[in-house]
Every structure is written in C-alpha cells, then in structure tokens.
Amino acid sequence: MSELNKIALQILSNGKGILAADESTATMTKRLDSVKVHSDENNRLLFRQTLFSSSSMSKCIGGVILYDETIRQRTTNEKSIPELIKLSGSLVGIKVDTGAKILAGSKEEKITEGLDGLRERLNDYYELGARFTKWRGVYLISDKYPSKLSISANAHALARYAALVQEAGMVPIIEPEVLMDGDHSAKDCLMKTSEVINKCFEELDLNNVDLKGTILKPNMILPGKNSGEKISSEEIAELTIDCLKNNVPSSVPGIAFLSGGQTEKEATANLNQINIKNNTNFIMTYSYGRALQQSALKFWSKDIKNIIGTQKIFDHRANMCTLAAQGKWSENLENSQ
Ligand code: 13P
C-alpha cells in the first residue's frame, strides 16, 4: 500500500469523516456576522480551538481542513493548532487554492486560482504538519451552465494541483462543486455533475495522478434550491451512487461529500441512505463545513465562554454524521440529545 493511500484510508475509514473548517477569512467573517460575533483573529481561533478539542474528534474526525491563518495559530494554551488536532489522532489538512475568480471568456462563471507558487507553499504546509490538502472548483448550473470552458478549465487546474500535492507527499482532496442554487431538476444535476466529474478524471489521468492517493469531494445529486422538486433521501442516494459508479474510477479509495447548503439533518439523512444503498467499493463519508458547525456556532455565539456546551452540540453532530457514514443513523438517534 502506498503512503498516500494509507493517509487517505486513515482519514476516511471506520465511519470517520472530515471537518471542513477552512473558511477563508472573508467567509468566516460572513458566518460570524450572521450570529453577531465580531470577526477578529482571536474569535476565529476561539471557535475553532473549541471544536478541535471536542471529545468526538478522536472517534469521528479523521481529518480537519484548515485555512492558512489557522494552521499558523497557537491555542490559548500555547499549543500549535496542528499539534492540537494531532492529539486526537486526526490528520491536518489545508486549503491551498486562493479562491474562485471570474472566468475570462464566460464572465458569470468562475475559475479557481492558486497554481502559481503552489509547489513552494506546499512544502511550507508540509513542514507545518499538513498531510492532505483541498482545492475547490465551483460550477454554476442552468440550461447553459456549466459551460465547456468552465468544465475544462477547472478540471485542468484541479489536476495540476493534485499532481503537485502528491509530489509534495500529501493527499489531494479534489472538490468539484456543482452548486445547489437554481431551478434545475435532480436529473439535470445528475447529468451536469457527471460531465464535470468525468472531465476531472480525464485530466487527473493526463497529469499522472495516483488515484489511490486521492479523495473525491463532490456534491450530492440534488434538485435545485428553487426548483420546487421534492425528492426523498432514497432517491437522492440512488442518483448520487449512479453518478459516482459511472464516472469515478474504482481505484479512488473514498468519497467525502460536501454539504453545500443542505441543513445539518438533510446532509446526515442523505449520507445515511447513500451508505445503506452503497453497492460500490468506495468509502462514502462526509467532509462537511456548515453541516457540522452551524448549530455549534449558533450556540457558541450566545456565550463564547461556554466551551463544554458548544462541544456537546458539535459532538452530537459529529456522532450523527459518523453513524450516517456507516448507514446506522436514525431519526430517533438524531433526537436523542
Ligand atoms: P459545506 O459542507 O458547508 O458545503 O463546506 C464544505 C466545503 O469544504 C466547501 O468547500
């Protein structure tokens, strides 16, 4: 087994998933504004160190994705954040793209940047303790989108990123996110997501990326937020599995879904059904940002000194997600807190 494959499996095995705490300062500020907490370096640290020292970390969280600011921070007890994460047996990850910018040639769409100087930044992150990374490509969806240009440009960037990350001895998370925004049907989402993922693997192959040492982080197959279409978790699971079975090479060890604006409960219930129906060899787990942190953030914002209370809420969410990653979640357990 290659070292990279071992890292990927360590992150994803035994019902563990990923805590995506890599919101950029701008995004974190939006999240903190929404609960009326001032976004400064210290408050961002306090919330995150509260989560990273929760008791569910060792059982549920195989890896934590950080933002550049956080990987360099020290806790109030003078431990480095990577040290704190490693204490629970979890691996340290880092977002390495520099964000999505307007795509020249198709100005409503975006291209993710960050390839220039990436080799040097990766060496720096490795020294800081990172063993896996994330890069997110983002795709609009409608009648005319994503365009061929956006599909091709983002796949190219994702694959060049992945090759550089493996060269630096880390596992790349490949995240092509087809957004939930819009009035498209679930069938449209299936069709367009399939095209997007397919192109990513074509480019990964061209760039000689070892797929056994990667993790795919896709969206689930869902109807657009404004479509009015109602669809069950069972149907979502079937469509999502179909999409992955038909477009992801079997050498990829695992898939860690993003939550993408689903509620905490939807993201958990849908992952649970995916695992009940999973007839592939892929590990299917979570790499959630909002669906792991939303309730904890709301609670914390009311009294940022209530560390135990905040951790209790986060622990419940992480435990529910880990049950879902094994197909063992239920509505009763959800309400048992
Ligand atoms: P959400 O789960 O909130 O979509 O975040 C996951 C993520 O890492 C987006 O890049």
Side-chain angles (χ1 to χ4, degrees), residues 9 32 40 42 81 84-85 122 147 173 195 208 213 237 252 263 277 288 295 322:
L9 291 175
L32 290 172
D40 57 32
N42 194 47
I81 287 287
L84 172 62
I85 290 169
L122 290 173
S147 66
I173 294 185
E195 209 183 326
N208 300 314
V252 172
T263 65
K277 293 186 187 293
Y288 292 164
S295 295
T322 278

Side-chain angles (χ1 to χ4, degrees), residues 71-144:
I71 200 171
R72 300 173 193 282
Q73 280 177 318
R74 302 189 82 78
T75 67
T76 37
N77 294 329
E78 276 306 310
K79 227 185 241 101
S80 79
I81 287 287
E83 269 166 4
L84 172 62
I85 290 169
K86 283 190 263 181
L87 272 183
S88 60
S90 192
L91 292 182
V92 176
I94 180 79
K95 182 222 293 288
V96 301
D97 66 65
T98 55
K101 310 282 159 57
I102 288 169
L103 174 63
S106 177
K107 294 203 168 137
E108 284 184 301
E109 294 183 288
K110 294 202 165 151
I111 178 71
T112 302
E113 296 188 345
L115 289 172
D116 288 353
L118 182 57
R119 182 178 272 126
E120 292 71 27
R121 288 196 290 124
L122 290 173
N123 293 335
D124 187 25
Y125 287 138
Y126 190 95
E127 289 303 312
L128 287 166
R131 291 297 176 269
F132 73 103
T133 65
K134 181 187 115 171
W135 178 291
R136 171 175 175 259
V138 58
Y139 305 84
L140 291 180
I141 170 167
S142 69
D143 288 351
K144 54 177 181 170

